[in-house]
Amino acid sequence: MATLNQWVAGSRPRTLPASLVPVVVGTGVAIGADGAIWWRALLAAFVALILQIGVNFSNDYSDGIRGTDEDRVGPLRLVGSKVAAPKQVLAAALGCFLAAAVAGLVLAAVTTWWLLLVGAVAILAAWFYTGGKTPYGYRALGEVSVFVFFGLVAVVGTVYVQIEKLPWEGWAAAVPVGLLACAMLVANNLRDIPTDRESGKRTLAVVLGDRRTRILYAACAALPFMFVLVLAAPHPWALIALLAAPLSIPPTQKVLGGASGPALIPVLGETGRLQIAYGLLLAIGLAI
């Protein structure tokens, strides 16, 4: 039986900024449009957070029963390390998905029922990332999914449930948020290239190889600051997001400097802090 601390570690807390930052940025857009509805924003944050935890448990379960995590370098995996039974981790994942569905149902009821379709697709994407017979996460499509769901869907969806419109600022702000979420996954998959290659897990990092994956990480960490200039034309205060730029330097230096294996683990935390700082500052800039 896994301990509480092990369950918390298994939820992979360093990845959770990827779920909350889009909601913060989307709420910043909504405030700027004078349409923020705080209880809807908080409910959207709950949906995003619990869905992300569900994704992490689902990946833990699916990778664990395949044996992908037996020689894992990174943070604790519950099934792979045999501290929790596969059925327990599966139940935790499904419980999270159910909670997200119920909260999403409330948001759909007060806005539009089309959100149910979006939510259903998001849950299916969460499961089939590593679940099922042909998981798309094993087909080099993980980054595409992260960009779509932790960038476009999360930011634009948060804006919509509050102002029930789809302004261009929401789409524009979603791009850099999605890129930073991708940076987190790229760093994770860069670390796991050797073990993923051996286990047959064909991530984008495995396809690109070590050198090009490091360049991809640097691009995902740098491009969001260029998008600030696009948003700054009508929203000059968005430029304050540039204050987060120094936080991109340490993880990028580690990645481009050739860090590998356990030496890449701190990059996840540093990328998470970059996401949080960038997201908060951009949200403030768009809200003013």
Side-chain angles (χ1 to χ4, degrees):
M1 179 70 70
T3 66
L4 177 60
N5 286 340
Q6 288 172 327
W7 277 105
V8 171
S11 72
R12 305 185 70 189
R14 288 182 179 179
T15 68
L16 298 184
S19 62
L20 294 178
V21 167
V23 178
V24 172
V25 172
T27 300
V29 174
I31 294 172
D34 296 323
I37 301 177
W38 291 104
W39 73 266
R40 295 187 187 183
L42 291 173
L43 198 55
F46 173 78
V47 171
L49 181 63
I50 201 68
L51 188 58
Q52 172 69 50
I53 294 173
V55 170
N56 290 341
F57 284 142
S58 173
N59 293 345
D60 191 309
Y61 167 78
S62 298
D63 285 341
I65 62 174
R66 284 190 174 91
T68 306
D69 288 337
E70 289 182 357
D71 298 315
R72 186 173 177 80
V73 176
L76 173 74
R77 286 295 185 103
L78 297 166
V79 176
S81 61
K82 297 180 173 59
V83 299
K87 288 184 178 180
Q88 293 176 329
V89 179
L90 175 60
L94 295 179
C96 289
F97 292 155
L98 178 60
V102 172
L105 180 62
V106 174
L107 288 173
V110 297
T111 53
T112 174
W113 292 109
W114 281 104
L115 281 181
L116 292 180
L117 178 60
V118 176
V121 172
I123 291 174
L124 288 173
W127 172 255
F128 286 106
Y129 177 66
T130 57
K133 294 182 179 179
T134 56
Y136 66 87
Y138 285 37
R139 299 293 182 271
L141 293 173
E143 282 75 7
V144 174
S145 176
V146 164
F147 180 80
V148 170
F149 290 101
F150 290 95
L152 301 181
V153 172
V155 175
V156 175
T158 298
V159 175
Y160 184 80
V161 298
Q162 294 183 71
I163 67 175
E164 299 187 38
K165 296 178 182 178
L166 298 174
W168 75 268
E169 290 93 342
W171 295 99
V175 174
V177 170
L179 287 172
L180 287 175
C182 285
M184 178 75 76
L185 181 59
V186 171
N188 183 78
N189 289 344
L190 172 64
R191 182 199 65 215
D192 293 340
I193 285 178
T195 54
D196 285 344
R197 184 180 289 125
E198 288 181 10
S199 63
K201 187 174 182 179
R202 195 167 175 266
T203 63
L204 182 59
V206 170
V207 172
L208 293 178
D210 185 272
R211 184 179 66 85
R212 284 183 289 184
T213 299
R214 294 177 187 277
I215 294 173
L216 177 60
Y217 175 88
C220 288
L223 286 174
F225 296 99
M226 298 181 185
F227 272 90
V228 169
L229 302 179
V230 175
L231 288 162
H235 301 281
W237 278 101
L239 290 172
I240 64 173
L242 296 176
L243 294 174
L247 293 177
S248 69
I249 297 175
T252 301
Q253 285 180 329
K254 289 183 179 69
V255 170
L256 294 182
S260 61
L264 283 168
I265 294 176
V267 172
L268 296 178
E270 291 169 346
T271 304
R273 288 190 286 274
L274 170 61
Q275 284 181 292
I276 293 170
Y278 181 93
L280 285 174
L281 290 171
L282 182 60
I284 293 170
L286 292 173
I288 296 175

Coordinates of all heavy atoms in Angstrom, one line a residue, residues 99-166:
A99 N -14.4 13.2 -11.7 CA -14.5 14.5 -11.0 C -14.4 15.7 -12.0 O -15.2 16.6 -12.0 CB -13.5 14.7 -10.0
A100 N -13.5 15.6 -13.0 CA -13.4 16.6 -14.0 C -14.7 16.7 -14.9 O -15.1 17.7 -15.3 CB -12.2 16.3 -14.9
A101 N -15.2 15.5 -15.2 CA -16.4 15.4 -16.0 C -17.6 16.1 -15.3 O -18.4 16.9 -15.9 CB -16.8 14.0 -16.4
V102 N -17.8 15.9 -14.0 CA -18.9 16.5 -13.2 C -18.7 18.0 -13.2 O -19.7 18.7 -13.4 CB -18.9 15.9 -11.8 CG1 -19.9 16.6 -11.0 CG2 -19.3 14.4 -11.9
A103 N -17.5 18.5 -12.9 CA -17.3 19.9 -12.8 C -17.5 20.5 -14.2 O -18.1 21.6 -14.4 CB -15.9 20.2 -12.3
G104 N -17.0 19.8 -15.3 CA -17.2 20.3 -16.6 C -18.7 20.4 -17.0 O -19.1 21.3 -17.7
L105 N -19.5 19.4 -16.5 CA -20.9 19.4 -16.7 C -21.6 20.7 -16.2 O -22.5 21.3 -16.8 CB -21.5 18.2 -16.1 CG -23.1 18.0 -16.3 CD1 -23.4 17.9 -17.7 CD2 -23.5 16.8 -15.5
V106 N -21.1 21.1 -15.0 CA -21.7 22.4 -14.4 C -21.4 23.6 -15.3 O -22.2 24.4 -15.6 CB -21.1 22.6 -13.0 CG1 -21.5 23.9 -12.5 CG2 -21.5 21.5 -12.1
L107 N -20.1 23.6 -15.8 CA -19.7 24.8 -16.7 C -20.5 24.7 -18.0 O -20.9 25.7 -18.5 CB -18.2 24.7 -17.0 CG -17.3 25.1 -15.8 CD1 -15.9 24.8 -16.2 CD2 -17.5 26.6 -15.4
A108 N -20.7 23.5 -18.5 CA -21.5 23.4 -19.8 C -23.0 23.8 -19.6 O -23.6 24.4 -20.4 CB -21.5 21.9 -20.3
A109 N -23.5 23.5 -18.4 CA -24.9 23.8 -18.1 C -25.2 25.3 -18.1 O -26.2 25.8 -18.4 CB -25.3 23.2 -16.8
V110 N -24.1 26.1 -17.7 CA -24.3 27.6 -17.6 C -23.8 28.3 -18.8 O -23.9 29.5 -18.9 CB -23.6 28.1 -16.3 CG1 -24.3 27.5 -15.1 CG2 -22.1 27.8 -16.3
T111 N -23.2 27.6 -19.7 CA -22.7 28.3 -21.0 C -23.3 27.6 -22.2 O -24.3 28.1 -22.7 CB -21.1 28.2 -21.0 OG1 -20.7 26.8 -20.8 CG2 -20.5 29.1 -19.9
T112 N -22.7 26.5 -22.7 CA -23.1 25.8 -23.8 C -22.9 24.4 -23.7 O -21.8 24.0 -23.2 CB -22.5 26.4 -25.1 OG1 -22.9 25.6 -26.2 CG2 -20.9 26.3 -25.0
W113 N -23.8 23.5 -24.2 CA -23.6 22.1 -24.1 C -22.5 21.6 -25.0 O -22.1 20.4 -24.9 CB -24.9 21.4 -24.4 CG -25.9 21.6 -23.3 CD1 -27.1 22.4 -23.4 CD2 -25.9 21.2 -22.0 NE1 -27.7 22.5 -22.2 CE2 -27.1 21.7 -21.3 CE3 -25.0 20.4 -21.3 CZ2 -27.3 21.4 -20.0 CZ3 -25.3 20.1 -19.9 CH2 -26.5 20.6 -19.3
W114 N -22.1 22.4 -26.0 CA -20.9 22.0 -26.8 C -19.7 21.7 -26.0 O -18.8 21.0 -26.4 CB -20.6 23.0 -27.9 CG -21.6 23.0 -29.0 CD1 -22.6 23.9 -29.3 CD2 -21.6 22.0 -30.1 NE1 -23.3 23.5 -30.4 CE2 -22.7 22.4 -31.0 CE3 -20.8 20.9 -30.4 CZ2 -23.0 21.6 -32.1 CZ3 -21.1 20.2 -31.5 CH2 -22.2 20.5 -32.4
L115 N -19.6 22.3 -24.8 CA -18.5 22.0 -23.9 C -18.4 20.6 -23.5 O -17.3 20.1 -23.2 CB -18.5 22.9 -22.7 CG -18.1 24.4 -22.8 CD1 -18.2 25.1 -21.5 CD2 -16.7 24.5 -23.4
L116 N -19.5 19.9 -23.5 CA -19.5 18.5 -23.2 C -18.6 17.7 -24.2 O -17.9 16.7 -23.8 CB -20.9 17.9 -23.1 CG -21.8 18.4 -22.0 CD1 -23.1 17.7 -22.0 CD2 -21.1 18.1 -20.6
L117 N -18.8 18.0 -25.5 CA -18.0 17.4 -26.5 C -16.5 17.7 -26.3 O -15.7 16.8 -26.4 CB -18.4 17.8 -27.9 CG -17.7 17.3 -29.1 CD1 -17.8 15.8 -29.1 CD2 -18.2 17.9 -30.4
V118 N -16.2 18.9 -26.0 CA -14.8 19.3 -25.8 C -14.2 18.5 -24.6 O -13.1 18.0 -24.7 CB -14.6 20.8 -25.6 CG1 -13.2 21.2 -25.2 CG2 -15.1 21.6 -26.8
G119 N -15.0 18.4 -23.5 CA -14.5 17.7 -22.3 C -14.4 16.2 -22.6 O -13.4 15.6 -22.1
A120 N -15.3 15.7 -23.4 CA -15.2 14.2 -23.7 C -13.9 13.9 -24.5 O -13.2 13.0 -24.2 CB -16.4 13.8 -24.5
V121 N -13.6 14.8 -25.5 CA -12.4 14.6 -26.3 C -11.2 14.8 -25.4 O -10.2 14.0 -25.6 CB -12.4 15.7 -27.4 CG1 -11.0 15.6 -28.2 CG2 -13.5 15.4 -28.4
A122 N -11.2 15.7 -24.5 CA -10.0 15.9 -23.6 C -9.8 14.7 -22.7 O -8.6 14.3 -22.5 CB -10.3 17.2 -22.7
I123 N -10.9 14.1 -22.2 CA -10.7 12.9 -21.3 C -10.2 11.7 -22.2 O -9.3 11.0 -21.7 CB -12.0 12.6 -20.6 CG1 -12.3 13.6 -19.6 CG2 -11.9 11.2 -20.0 CD1 -13.7 13.5 -18.9
L124 N -10.7 11.6 -23.4 CA -10.3 10.5 -24.2 C -8.8 10.7 -24.6 O -8.0 9.7 -24.6 CB -11.1 10.4 -25.5 CG -12.5 9.9 -25.3 CD1 -13.3 10.1 -26.7 CD2 -12.5 8.4 -24.9
A125 N -8.4 11.9 -24.9 CA -7.0 12.2 -25.2 C -6.1 11.9 -24.0 O -5.0 11.4 -24.2 CB -6.9 13.7 -25.6
A126 N -6.6 12.2 -22.8 CA -5.8 11.9 -21.6 C -5.6 10.4 -21.4 O -4.5 10.0 -21.1 CB -6.6 12.5 -20.4
W127 N -6.6 9.6 -21.7 CA -6.5 8.2 -21.5 C -5.6 7.6 -22.6 O -4.7 6.8 -22.4 CB -7.8 7.5 -21.5 CG -7.7 6.0 -21.6 CD1 -8.0 5.2 -22.6 CD2 -7.3 5.2 -20.5 NE1 -7.7 3.9 -22.3 CE2 -7.3 3.8 -21.0 CE3 -6.9 5.4 -19.2 CZ2 -6.9 2.8 -20.2 CZ3 -6.5 4.3 -18.4 CH2 -6.6 3.0 -18.9
F128 N -5.8 7.9 -23.9 CA -5.2 7.3 -25.0 C -3.7 7.8 -25.2 O -3.1 7.4 -26.2 CB -6.0 7.4 -26.3 CG -7.2 6.4 -26.3 CD1 -8.5 6.9 -26.1 CD2 -7.0 5.1 -26.4 CE1 -9.5 6.0 -26.0 CE2 -8.1 4.2 -26.4 CZ -9.3 4.7 -26.2
Y129 N -3.3 8.8 -24.4 CA -1.9 9.3 -24.5 C -1.0 8.1 -24.3 O 0.0 7.9 -25.1 CB -1.7 10.3 -23.5 CG -0.3 10.8 -23.4 CD1 0.3 11.5 -24.5 CD2 0.6 10.6 -22.3 CE1 1.6 12.0 -24.5 CE2 1.9 11.1 -22.3 CZ 2.4 11.7 -23.4 OH 3.7 12.2 -23.4
T130 N -1.2 7.3 -23.3 CA -0.4 6.1 -23.1 C -1.3 4.8 -23.0 O -0.8 3.7 -22.8 CB 0.5 6.2 -21.8 OG1 -0.3 6.5 -20.7 CG2 1.6 7.3 -22.0
G131 N -2.6 5.0 -22.9 CA -3.5 3.9 -22.8 C -4.0 3.3 -24.1 O -3.7 3.9 -25.2
G132 N -4.6 2.1 -24.0 CA -5.1 1.5 -25.2 C -4.0 0.7 -25.9 O -2.8 0.7 -25.5
K133 N -4.4 0.1 -27.1 CA -3.5 -0.7 -27.8 C -2.5 0.1 -28.6 O -1.3 -0.3 -28.9 CB -4.2 -1.7 -28.7 CG -5.1 -2.7 -28.0 CD -5.8 -3.7 -29.0 CE -6.6 -4.7 -28.2 NZ -7.3 -5.6 -29.2
T134 N -2.9 1.3 -29.1 CA -2.0 2.1 -29.9 C -1.9 3.5 -29.3 O -2.5 4.5 -29.9 CB -2.5 2.1 -31.4 OG1 -3.9 2.6 -31.4 CG2 -2.4 0.8 -32.0
P135 N -1.3 3.7 -28.2 CA -1.3 5.1 -27.6 C -0.5 6.0 -28.5 O 0.6 5.7 -29.0 CB -0.5 4.8 -26.3 CG 0.3 3.6 -26.5 CD -0.6 2.7 -27.4
Y136 N -1.1 7.2 -28.6 CA -0.5 8.2 -29.5 C 0.8 8.8 -28.9 O 1.6 9.4 -29.6 CB -1.5 9.3 -30.0 CG -2.0 10.2 -28.9 CD1 -1.3 11.3 -28.5 CD2 -3.2 9.9 -28.2 CE1 -1.7 12.2 -27.5 CE2 -3.6 10.7 -27.2 CZ -2.9 11.9 -26.9 OH -3.4 12.7 -25.9
G137 N 0.9 8.7 -27.6 CA 2.1 9.2 -26.9 C 3.3 8.4 -27.3 O 4.5 8.8 -27.2
Y138 N 3.1 7.2 -27.8 CA 4.2 6.3 -28.3 C 4.4 6.5 -29.8 O 5.1 5.7 -30.4 CB 3.8 4.8 -28.0 CG 4.0 4.4 -26.6 CD1 3.7 5.2 -25.5 CD2 4.4 3.1 -26.3 CE1 3.8 4.8 -24.2 CE2 4.5 2.6 -25.0 CZ 4.2 3.5 -23.9 OH 4.3 3.1 -22.6
R139 N 3.7 7.4 -30.4 CA 3.8 7.7 -31.8 C 4.2 9.1 -32.1 O 3.8 9.7 -33.1 CB 2.4 7.5 -32.5 CG 1.9 6.0 -32.3 CD 2.7 5.0 -33.1 NE 2.2 3.7 -33.0 CZ 2.5 2.8 -32.1 NH1 3.4 3.2 -31.1 NH2 2.0 1.6 -32.0
A140 N 5.0 9.7 -31.2 CA 5.6 11.0 -31.3 C 4.5 12.2 -31.4 O 4.8 13.2 -32.0 CB 6.5 11.1 -32.5
L141 N 3.4 12.0 -30.8 CA 2.3 13.0 -30.9 C 2.0 13.6 -29.6 O 1.1 14.4 -29.4 CB 1.0 12.4 -31.5 CG 1.1 11.9 -32.9 CD1 -0.2 11.2 -33.3 CD2 1.3 13.1 -33.9
G142 N 2.8 13.3 -28.6 CA 2.6 13.9 -27.2 C 2.6 15.4 -27.2 O 1.7 16.0 -26.6
E143 N 3.6 16.0 -27.8 CA 3.8 17.4 -27.8 C 2.6 18.1 -28.5 O 2.2 19.2 -28.1 CB 5.1 17.9 -28.4 CG 6.3 17.7 -27.6 CD 6.7 16.2 -27.4 OE1 6.2 15.3 -28.1 OE2 7.7 16.0 -26.6
V144 N 2.1 17.5 -29.6 CA 1.0 18.1 -30.3 C -0.3 18.1 -29.4 O -1.0 19.1 -29.3 CB 0.6 17.3 -31.6 CG1 -0.7 17.7 -32.2 CG2 1.8 17.3 -32.5
S145 N -0.5 17.0 -28.6 CA -1.6 17.0 -27.7 C -1.5 18.0 -26.6 O -2.4 18.7 -26.2 CB -1.7 15.6 -27.1 OG -2.7 15.5 -26.2
V146 N -0.3 18.1 -26.0 CA -0.1 19.1 -25.0 C -0.3 20.5 -25.4 O -0.9 21.3 -24.8 CB 1.4 18.9 -24.4 CG1 1.8 20.1 -23.6 CG2 1.5 17.7 -23.6
F147 N 0.2 20.8 -26.6 CA 0.0 22.2 -27.2 C -1.5 22.5 -27.4 O -2.0 23.6 -27.0 CB 0.7 22.3 -28.5 CG 0.5 23.7 -29.1 CD1 1.3 24.8 -28.7 CD2 -0.4 23.9 -30.1 CE1 1.2 26.0 -29.3 CE2 -0.5 25.2 -30.7 CZ 0.2 26.2 -30.3
V148 N -2.2 21.5 -27.9 CA -3.7 21.7 -28.1 C -4.5 21.8 -26.8 O -5.2 22.8 -26.7 CB -4.2 20.5 -29.0 CG1 -5.8 20.6 -29.1 CG2 -3.7 20.6 -30.4
F149 N -4.3 20.8 -25.9 CA -5.1 20.8 -24.7 C -4.6 21.7 -23.6 O -5.5 22.2 -22.8 CB -5.3 19.3 -24.3 CG -6.1 18.5 -25.2 CD1 -5.5 17.7 -26.1 CD2 -7.5 18.7 -25.2 CE1 -6.3 16.9 -27.0 CE2 -8.3 17.9 -26.1 CZ -7.7 17.0 -27.0
F150 N -3.3 21.8 -23.4 CA -2.8 22.7 -22.3 C -2.5 24.1 -22.8 O -2.0 24.9 -22.0 CB -1.6 22.1 -21.7 CG -1.9 20.8 -20.9 CD1 -1.8 19.6 -21.4 CD2 -2.4 20.9 -19.6 CE1 -2.1 18.4 -20.7 CE2 -2.7 19.8 -18.8 CZ -2.6 18.6 -19.4
G151 N -2.7 24.3 -24.1 CA -2.6 25.7 -24.7 C -3.9 26.2 -25.2 O -4.6 26.9 -24.5
L152 N -4.2 25.7 -26.4 CA -5.4 26.3 -27.1 C -6.7 26.0 -26.3 O -7.5 26.9 -26.0 CB -5.5 25.7 -28.5 CG -4.3 25.9 -29.4 CD1 -4.6 25.3 -30.8 CD2 -4.1 27.4 -29.5
V153 N -7.0 24.7 -26.0 CA -8.3 24.4 -25.3 C -8.4 25.0 -24.0 O -9.4 25.6 -23.6 CB -8.4 22.9 -25.3 CG1 -9.6 22.5 -24.4 CG2 -8.5 22.3 -26.7
A154 N -7.3 24.9 -23.2 CA -7.4 25.4 -21.8 C -7.5 26.9 -21.7 O -8.4 27.4 -20.9 CB -6.1 24.9 -21.0
V155 N -6.7 27.6 -22.4 CA -6.8 29.1 -22.4 C -8.1 29.6 -23.0 O -8.9 30.4 -22.4 CB -5.6 29.7 -23.1 CG1 -5.8 31.3 -23.1 CG2 -4.3 29.4 -22.4
V156 N -8.4 29.2 -24.2 CA -9.6 29.7 -24.9 C -10.8 29.2 -24.2 O -11.8 29.9 -24.1 CB -9.6 29.2 -26.4 CG1 -10.9 29.6 -27.1 CG2 -8.4 29.8 -27.1
G157 N -10.8 28.0 -23.7 CA -12.0 27.5 -22.9 C -12.2 28.3 -21.7 O -13.4 28.6 -21.3
T158 N -11.2 28.6 -21.0 CA -11.3 29.4 -19.7 C -11.9 30.8 -20.1 O -12.8 31.3 -19.3 CB -9.9 29.6 -19.0 OG1 -9.4 28.4 -18.6 CG2 -10.1 30.5 -17.8
V159 N -11.4 31.4 -21.2 CA -12.0 32.7 -21.6 C -13.5 32.5 -21.9 O -14.3 33.3 -21.5 CB -11.3 33.2 -22.8 CG1 -11.9 34.5 -23.4 CG2 -9.8 33.5 -22.5
Y160 N -13.8 31.5 -22.7 CA -15.2 31.3 -23.1 C -16.2 31.1 -22.0 O -17.3 31.7 -22.0 CB -15.3 30.1 -24.1 CG -16.7 30.0 -24.6 CD1 -17.1 30.8 -25.7 CD2 -17.6 29.1 -24.1 CE1 -18.4 30.7 -26.2 CE2 -18.9 29.0 -24.6 CZ -19.3 29.8 -25.6 OH -20.6 29.7 -26.1
V161 N -15.8 30.3 -21.0 CA -16.8 30.0 -19.9 C -17.0 31.2 -19.1 O -18.0 31.2 -18.3 CB -16.3 28.8 -19.0 CG1 -16.2 27.5 -19.8 CG2 -15.0 29.2 -18.3
Q162 N -16.2 32.3 -19.2 CA -16.4 33.5 -18.4 C -17.1 34.6 -19.2 O -18.0 35.2 -18.7 CB -15.1 34.0 -17.9 CG -14.5 33.0 -16.8 CD -13.2 33.6 -16.2 OE1 -13.3 34.5 -15.4 NE2 -12.1 32.9 -16.6
I163 N -16.7 34.8 -20.5 CA -17.3 35.9 -21.2 C -18.2 35.4 -22.4 O -18.8 36.2 -23.1 CB -16.2 36.9 -21.8 CG1 -15.3 36.2 -22.8 CG2 -15.4 37.4 -20.6 CD1 -14.3 37.1 -23.5
E164 N -18.1 34.1 -22.6 CA -18.9 33.4 -23.7 C -18.7 34.0 -25.1 O -19.6 34.2 -25.9 CB -20.4 33.5 -23.3 CG -20.7 32.7 -22.0 CD -22.2 32.5 -21.7 OE1 -23.0 32.4 -22.7 OE2 -22.6 32.6 -20.6
K165 N -17.4 34.4 -25.3 CA -16.9 34.9 -26.6 C -15.5 34.3 -26.8 O -14.9 33.8 -25.9 CB -16.8 36.4 -26.6 CG -18.2 37.1 -26.4 CD -18.0 38.6 -26.4 CE -19.3 39.4 -26.3 NZ -19.1 40.9 -26.2
L166 N -15.1 34.4 -28.0 CA -13.7 33.9 -28.4 C -12.9 35.0 -29.0 O -12.6 35.0 -30.2 CB -13.9 32.7 -29.4 CG -14.6 31.5 -28.9 CD1 -14.8 30.5 -30.0 CD2 -13.9 30.8 -27.7

